[in-house]
mmCIF file of all heavy atoms in Angstrom:
data_model
loop_
_atom_site.group_PDB
_atom_site.id
_atom_site.type_symbol
_atom_site.label_atom_id
_atom_site.label_comp_id
_atom_site.label_asym_id
_atom_site.label_seq_id
_atom_site.Cartn_x
_atom_site.Cartn_y
_atom_site.Cartn_z
ATOM 1 N N PHE A 22 -5.951 229.204 195.197
ATOM 2 C CA PHE A 22 -5.074 230.027 196.028
ATOM 3 C C PHE A 22 -5.825 230.708 197.171
ATOM 4 O O PHE A 22 -5.201 231.343 198.028
ATOM 5 C CB PHE A 22 -4.402 231.116 195.172
ATOM 6 C CG PHE A 22 -3.273 230.629 194.305
ATOM 7 C CD1 PHE A 22 -3.521 229.987 193.106
ATOM 8 C CD2 PHE A 22 -1.953 230.821 194.689
ATOM 9 C CE1 PHE A 22 -2.488 229.549 192.295
ATOM 10 C CE2 PHE A 22 -0.911 230.389 193.896
ATOM 11 C CZ PHE A 22 -1.173 229.745 192.685
ATOM 12 N N ASN A 23 -7.151 230.601 197.160
ATOM 13 C CA ASN A 23 -7.967 231.407 198.068
ATOM 14 C C ASN A 23 -7.591 231.268 199.532
ATOM 15 O O ASN A 23 -7.476 232.254 200.262
ATOM 16 C CB ASN A 23 -9.452 231.058 197.896
ATOM 17 C CG ASN A 23 -10.049 231.725 196.677
ATOM 18 O OD1 ASN A 23 -9.383 232.526 196.010
ATOM 19 N ND2 ASN A 23 -11.294 231.395 196.363
ATOM 20 N N LEU A 24 -7.419 230.021 199.983
ATOM 21 C CA LEU A 24 -7.193 229.770 201.402
ATOM 22 C C LEU A 24 -5.919 230.465 201.872
ATOM 23 O O LEU A 24 -5.917 231.171 202.893
ATOM 24 C CB LEU A 24 -7.118 228.265 201.661
ATOM 25 C CG LEU A 24 -7.358 227.802 203.103
ATOM 26 C CD1 LEU A 24 -8.707 228.303 203.611
ATOM 27 C CD2 LEU A 24 -7.285 226.294 203.179
ATOM 28 N N LEU A 25 -4.814 230.270 201.132
ATOM 29 C CA LEU A 25 -3.541 230.851 201.527
ATOM 30 C C LEU A 25 -3.569 232.376 201.419
ATOM 31 O O LEU A 25 -3.110 233.088 202.320
ATOM 32 C CB LEU A 25 -2.408 230.281 200.668
ATOM 33 C CG LEU A 25 -0.998 230.827 200.936
ATOM 34 C CD1 LEU A 25 -0.626 230.698 202.409
ATOM 35 C CD2 LEU A 25 0.017 230.093 200.068
ATOM 36 N N ILE A 26 -4.128 232.888 200.335
ATOM 37 C CA ILE A 26 -4.173 234.341 200.165
ATOM 38 C C ILE A 26 -5.058 234.994 201.225
ATOM 39 O O ILE A 26 -4.730 236.075 201.741
ATOM 40 C CB ILE A 26 -4.637 234.698 198.740
ATOM 41 C CG1 ILE A 26 -3.514 234.371 197.740
ATOM 42 C CG2 ILE A 26 -5.030 236.162 198.636
ATOM 43 C CD1 ILE A 26 -3.856 234.641 196.290
ATOM 44 N N GLU A 27 -6.142 234.333 201.588
ATOM 45 C CA GLU A 27 -7.005 234.891 202.631
ATOM 46 C C GLU A 27 -6.271 234.940 203.975
ATOM 47 O O GLU A 27 -6.432 235.901 204.745
ATOM 48 C CB GLU A 27 -8.288 234.065 202.751
ATOM 49 C CG GLU A 27 -9.287 234.592 203.775
ATOM 50 C CD GLU A 27 -9.749 236.025 203.491
ATOM 51 O OE1 GLU A 27 -9.702 236.459 202.318
ATOM 52 O OE2 GLU A 27 -10.153 236.705 204.449
ATOM 53 N N GLU A 28 -5.461 233.917 204.267
ATOM 54 C CA GLU A 28 -4.655 233.944 205.499
ATOM 55 C C GLU A 28 -3.722 235.149 205.512
ATOM 56 O O GLU A 28 -3.537 235.801 206.547
ATOM 57 C CB GLU A 28 -3.832 232.656 205.613
ATOM 58 C CG GLU A 28 -4.646 231.408 205.887
ATOM 59 C CD GLU A 28 -3.827 230.131 205.750
ATOM 60 O OE1 GLU A 28 -2.617 230.221 205.438
ATOM 61 O OE2 GLU A 28 -4.394 229.041 205.951
ATOM 62 N N ILE A 29 -3.140 235.440 204.357
ATOM 63 C CA ILE A 29 -2.212 236.575 204.256
ATOM 64 C C ILE A 29 -2.963 237.894 204.403
ATOM 65 O O ILE A 29 -2.506 238.816 205.105
ATOM 66 C CB ILE A 29 -1.451 236.517 202.918
ATOM 67 C CG1 ILE A 29 -0.635 235.224 202.825
ATOM 68 C CG2 ILE A 29 -0.530 237.726 202.766
ATOM 69 C CD1 ILE A 29 -0.071 234.933 201.448
ATOM 70 N N ARG A 30 -4.121 237.990 203.778
ATOM 71 C CA ARG A 30 -4.911 239.224 203.886
ATOM 72 C C ARG A 30 -5.318 239.497 205.342
ATOM 73 O O ARG A 30 -5.233 240.635 205.820
ATOM 74 C CB ARG A 30 -6.165 239.137 203.014
ATOM 75 C CG ARG A 30 -5.905 239.177 201.521
ATOM 76 C CD ARG A 30 -7.216 239.348 200.765
ATOM 77 N NE ARG A 30 -7.066 239.128 199.343
ATOM 78 C CZ ARG A 30 -6.614 240.040 198.483
ATOM 79 N NH1 ARG A 30 -6.256 241.232 198.938
ATOM 80 N NH2 ARG A 30 -6.509 239.750 197.189
ATOM 81 N N VAL A 31 -5.753 238.454 206.024
ATOM 82 C CA VAL A 31 -6.164 238.608 207.429
ATOM 83 C C VAL A 31 -4.980 239.091 208.269
ATOM 84 O O VAL A 31 -5.119 239.992 209.111
ATOM 85 C CB VAL A 31 -6.719 237.278 207.981
ATOM 86 C CG1 VAL A 31 -6.884 237.334 209.494
ATOM 87 C CG2 VAL A 31 -8.054 236.954 207.313
ATOM 88 N N GLU A 32 -3.809 238.508 208.032
ATOM 89 C CA GLU A 32 -2.612 238.939 208.760
ATOM 90 C C GLU A 32 -2.255 240.373 208.421
ATOM 91 O O GLU A 32 -1.871 241.163 209.291
ATOM 92 C CB GLU A 32 -1.428 238.029 208.440
ATOM 93 C CG GLU A 32 -1.270 236.845 209.341
ATOM 94 C CD GLU A 32 -1.114 237.225 210.801
ATOM 95 O OE1 GLU A 32 -0.015 237.644 211.218
ATOM 96 O OE2 GLU A 32 -2.109 237.113 211.529
ATOM 97 N N GLY A 33 -2.351 240.718 207.146
ATOM 98 C CA GLY A 33 -2.033 242.073 206.737
ATOM 99 C C GLY A 33 -2.909 243.095 207.439
ATOM 100 O O GLY A 33 -2.421 244.110 207.961
ATOM 101 N N GLU A 34 -4.209 242.835 207.467
ATOM 102 C CA GLU A 34 -5.138 243.756 208.125
ATOM 103 C C GLU A 34 -4.857 243.838 209.622
ATOM 104 O O GLU A 34 -4.911 244.922 210.226
ATOM 105 C CB GLU A 34 -6.576 243.308 207.864
ATOM 106 C CG GLU A 34 -6.994 243.464 206.406
ATOM 107 C CD GLU A 34 -8.319 242.782 206.092
ATOM 108 O OE1 GLU A 34 -8.948 242.261 207.051
ATOM 109 O OE2 GLU A 34 -8.723 242.746 204.920
ATOM 110 N N ARG A 35 -4.550 242.699 210.232
ATOM 111 C CA ARG A 35 -4.255 242.694 211.671
ATOM 112 C C ARG A 35 -2.994 243.490 211.978
ATOM 113 O O ARG A 35 -2.968 244.302 212.910
ATOM 114 C CB ARG A 35 -4.094 241.253 212.159
ATOM 115 C CG ARG A 35 -3.834 241.132 213.662
ATOM 116 C CD ARG A 35 -3.594 239.690 214.081
ATOM 117 N NE ARG A 35 -2.297 239.214 213.643
ATOM 118 C CZ ARG A 35 -1.155 239.446 214.301
ATOM 119 N NH1 ARG A 35 -1.164 240.182 215.406
ATOM 120 N NH2 ARG A 35 -0.022 238.957 213.854
ATOM 121 N N LEU A 36 -1.945 243.271 211.177
ATOM 122 C CA LEU A 36 -0.665 243.926 211.457
ATOM 123 C C LEU A 36 -0.715 245.427 211.200
ATOM 124 O O LEU A 36 0.022 246.190 211.838
ATOM 125 C CB LEU A 36 0.435 243.281 210.616
ATOM 126 C CG LEU A 36 0.781 241.834 210.993
ATOM 127 C CD1 LEU A 36 1.788 241.256 210.007
ATOM 128 C CD2 LEU A 36 1.319 241.750 212.416
ATOM 129 N N LEU A 37 -1.593 245.873 210.291
ATOM 130 C CA LEU A 37 -1.737 247.313 210.077
ATOM 131 C C LEU A 37 -2.249 248.011 211.334
ATOM 132 O O LEU A 37 -1.931 249.183 211.582
ATOM 133 C CB LEU A 37 -2.707 247.589 208.922
ATOM 134 C CG LEU A 37 -2.172 247.412 207.501
ATOM 135 C CD1 LEU A 37 -3.281 247.668 206.500
ATOM 136 C CD2 LEU A 37 -0.975 248.329 207.219
ATOM 137 N N GLN A 38 -3.020 247.288 212.121
ATOM 138 C CA GLN A 38 -3.595 247.870 213.343
ATOM 139 C C GLN A 38 -2.694 247.707 214.558
ATOM 140 O O GLN A 38 -2.993 248.234 215.631
ATOM 141 C CB GLN A 38 -4.961 247.204 213.644
ATOM 142 C CG GLN A 38 -5.952 247.216 212.502
ATOM 143 C CD GLN A 38 -6.201 248.599 211.949
ATOM 144 O OE1 GLN A 38 -6.372 249.552 212.719
ATOM 145 N NE2 GLN A 38 -6.216 248.740 210.631
ATOM 146 N N GLU A 39 -1.616 246.984 214.384
ATOM 147 C CA GLU A 39 -0.748 246.657 215.521
ATOM 148 C C GLU A 39 0.529 247.493 215.461
ATOM 149 O O GLU A 39 1.200 247.535 214.422
ATOM 150 C CB GLU A 39 -0.407 245.161 215.480
ATOM 151 C CG GLU A 39 0.363 244.653 216.671
ATOM 152 C CD GLU A 39 0.625 243.158 216.555
ATOM 153 O OE1 GLU A 39 -0.239 242.377 216.999
ATOM 154 O OE2 GLU A 39 1.685 242.770 216.016
ATOM 155 N N ALA A 40 0.865 248.131 216.556
ATOM 156 C CA ALA A 40 2.073 248.949 216.602
ATOM 157 C C ALA A 40 3.311 248.061 216.529
ATOM 158 O O ALA A 40 3.358 246.980 217.124
ATOM 159 C CB ALA A 40 2.099 249.777 217.882
ATOM 160 N N GLU A 41 4.291 248.535 215.792
ATOM 161 C CA GLU A 41 5.533 247.774 215.651
ATOM 162 C C GLU A 41 6.428 247.995 216.856
ATOM 163 O O GLU A 41 6.598 249.120 217.331
ATOM 164 C CB GLU A 41 6.275 248.215 214.389
ATOM 165 C CG GLU A 41 7.574 247.470 214.157
ATOM 166 C CD GLU A 41 8.420 248.139 213.089
ATOM 167 O OE1 GLU A 41 7.830 248.765 212.185
ATOM 168 O OE2 GLU A 41 9.646 248.053 213.174
ATOM 169 N N GLN A 42 6.996 246.913 217.380
ATOM 170 C CA GLN A 42 7.961 247.011 218.465
ATOM 171 C C GLN A 42 9.367 247.165 217.914
ATOM 172 O O GLN A 42 9.698 246.613 216.865
ATOM 173 C CB GLN A 42 7.909 245.751 219.343
ATOM 174 C CG GLN A 42 6.890 245.798 220.464
ATOM 175 C CD GLN A 42 7.085 244.642 221.421
ATOM 176 O OE1 GLN A 42 6.727 243.514 221.126
ATOM 177 N NE2 GLN A 42 7.649 244.939 222.580
ATOM 178 N N GLU A 43 10.195 247.895 218.644
ATOM 179 C CA GLU A 43 11.588 248.039 218.251
ATOM 180 C C GLU A 43 12.474 247.129 219.089
ATOM 181 O O GLU A 43 12.124 246.747 220.221
ATOM 182 C CB GLU A 43 12.032 249.495 218.401
ATOM 183 C CG GLU A 43 11.446 250.430 217.359
ATOM 184 C CD GLU A 43 11.858 250.079 215.939
ATOM 185 O OE1 GLU A 43 12.970 249.535 215.734
ATOM 186 O OE2 GLU A 43 11.061 250.337 215.016
ATOM 187 N N LEU A 44 13.621 246.799 218.548
ATOM 188 C CA LEU A 44 14.592 245.965 219.250
ATOM 189 C C LEU A 44 15.488 246.875 220.087
ATOM 190 O O LEU A 44 16.508 247.369 219.627
ATOM 191 C CB LEU A 44 15.414 245.156 218.245
ATOM 192 C CG LEU A 44 14.646 244.045 217.535
ATOM 193 C CD1 LEU A 44 15.444 243.494 216.365
ATOM 194 C CD2 LEU A 44 14.303 242.922 218.511
ATOM 195 N N THR A 45 15.086 247.079 221.323
ATOM 196 C CA THR A 45 15.809 247.990 222.211
ATOM 197 C C THR A 45 17.074 247.342 222.764
ATOM 198 O O THR A 45 17.273 246.128 222.678
ATOM 199 C CB THR A 45 14.907 248.391 223.386
ATOM 200 O OG1 THR A 45 14.617 247.207 224.158
ATOM 201 C CG2 THR A 45 13.605 249.013 222.897
ATOM 202 N N TYR A 46 17.915 248.175 223.366
ATOM 203 C CA TYR A 46 19.125 247.668 224.012
ATOM 204 C C TYR A 46 18.770 246.719 225.159
ATOM 205 O O TYR A 46 19.462 245.729 225.386
ATOM 206 C CB TYR A 46 19.967 248.837 224.541
ATOM 207 C CG TYR A 46 21.215 248.391 225.269
ATOM 208 C CD1 TYR A 46 22.253 247.747 224.581
ATOM 209 C CD2 TYR A 46 21.361 248.599 226.634
ATOM 210 C CE1 TYR A 46 23.398 247.327 225.246
ATOM 211 C CE2 TYR A 46 22.500 248.192 227.305
ATOM 212 C CZ TYR A 46 23.514 247.551 226.608
ATOM 213 O OH TYR A 46 24.646 247.138 227.263
ATOM 214 N N SER A 47 17.675 246.998 225.838
ATOM 215 C CA SER A 47 17.251 246.119 226.945
ATOM 216 C C SER A 47 16.964 244.709 226.434
ATOM 217 O O SER A 47 17.337 243.722 227.082
ATOM 218 C CB SER A 47 16.007 246.697 227.626
ATOM 219 O OG SER A 47 16.298 247.949 228.211
ATOM 220 N N PHE A 48 16.306 244.610 225.301
ATOM 221 C CA PHE A 48 16.069 243.289 224.702
ATOM 222 C C PHE A 48 17.396 242.641 224.315
ATOM 223 O O PHE A 48 17.605 241.443 224.540
ATOM 224 C CB PHE A 48 15.188 243.409 223.457
ATOM 225 C CG PHE A 48 13.725 243.587 223.739
ATOM 226 C CD1 PHE A 48 12.991 244.572 223.090
ATOM 227 C CD2 PHE A 48 13.055 242.769 224.635
ATOM 228 C CE1 PHE A 48 11.637 244.737 223.325
ATOM 229 C CE2 PHE A 48 11.708 242.926 224.893
ATOM 230 C CZ PHE A 48 10.992 243.912 224.234
ATOM 231 N N PHE A 49 18.279 243.431 223.724
ATOM 232 C CA PHE A 49 19.560 242.904 223.242
ATOM 233 C C PHE A 49 20.385 242.309 224.377
ATOM 234 O O PHE A 49 21.082 241.305 224.194
ATOM 235 C CB PHE A 49 20.338 244.035 222.551
ATOM 236 C CG PHE A 49 21.614 243.595 221.886
ATOM 237 C CD1 PHE A 49 21.600 243.021 220.621
ATOM 238 C CD2 PHE A 49 22.836 243.741 222.529
ATOM 239 C CE1 PHE A 49 22.769 242.614 219.998
ATOM 240 C CE2 PHE A 49 24.022 243.334 221.915
ATOM 241 C CZ PHE A 49 23.982 242.769 220.654
ATOM 242 N N ARG A 50 20.296 242.895 225.574
ATOM 243 C CA ARG A 50 21.140 242.477 226.694
ATOM 244 C C ARG A 50 20.627 241.239 227.423
ATOM 245 O O ARG A 50 21.371 240.630 228.183
ATOM 246 C CB ARG A 50 21.242 243.614 227.707
ATOM 247 C CG ARG A 50 22.087 244.785 227.261
ATOM 248 C CD ARG A 50 23.549 244.411 227.211
ATOM 249 N NE ARG A 50 24.065 243.970 228.505
ATOM 250 C CZ ARG A 50 25.238 243.377 228.685
ATOM 251 N NH1 ARG A 50 26.005 243.138 227.634
ATOM 252 N NH2 ARG A 50 25.638 243.008 229.883
ATOM 253 N N ILE A 51 19.379 240.863 227.219
ATOM 254 C CA ILE A 51 18.782 239.799 228.037
ATOM 255 C C ILE A 51 19.537 238.484 227.906
ATOM 256 O O ILE A 51 19.785 237.796 228.901
ATOM 257 C CB ILE A 51 17.292 239.615 227.675
ATOM 258 C CG1 ILE A 51 16.485 240.814 228.168
ATOM 259 C CG2 ILE A 51 16.732 238.321 228.277
ATOM 260 C CD1 ILE A 51 15.037 240.820 227.732
ATOM 261 N N PHE A 52 19.933 238.112 226.676
ATOM 262 C CA PHE A 52 20.625 236.836 226.500
ATOM 263 C C PHE A 52 21.937 236.817 227.274
ATOM 264 O O PHE A 52 22.272 235.816 227.919
ATOM 265 C CB PHE A 52 20.886 236.562 225.019
ATOM 266 C CG PHE A 52 21.606 235.267 224.770
ATOM 267 C CD1 PHE A 52 20.936 234.061 224.850
ATOM 268 C CD2 PHE A 52 22.967 235.259 224.489
ATOM 269 C CE1 PHE A 52 21.601 232.857 224.637
ATOM 270 C CE2 PHE A 52 23.642 234.072 224.277
ATOM 271 C CZ PHE A 52 22.955 232.863 224.354
#
C-alpha cells in the first residue's frame, strides 16, 4: 500500500498549507 498511501500523505501535507478557495457568486455567473 506504500505507494498509494504516500501519494495521499504528500497531498494531505500540501493541502494543509494551501488556502481554500470559496465558490463566489462571480464564479457561479461565469457559465
Side-chain angles (χ1 to χ4, degrees):
F22 284 80
N23 281 355
L24 200 56
L25 178 54
I26 288 178
E27 182 59 25
E28 291 170 0
I29 299 168
R30 290 191 192 278
V31 168
E32 270 302 282
E34 292 169 5
R35 182 184 73 83
L36 292 175
L37 282 178
Q38 307 306 316
E39 186 179 272
E41 180 193 330
Q42 273 191 284
E43 288 298 330
L44 290 168
T45 64
Y46 178 67
S47 297
F48 282 132
F49 186 82
R50 288 290 301 168
I51 289 173
F52 180 76

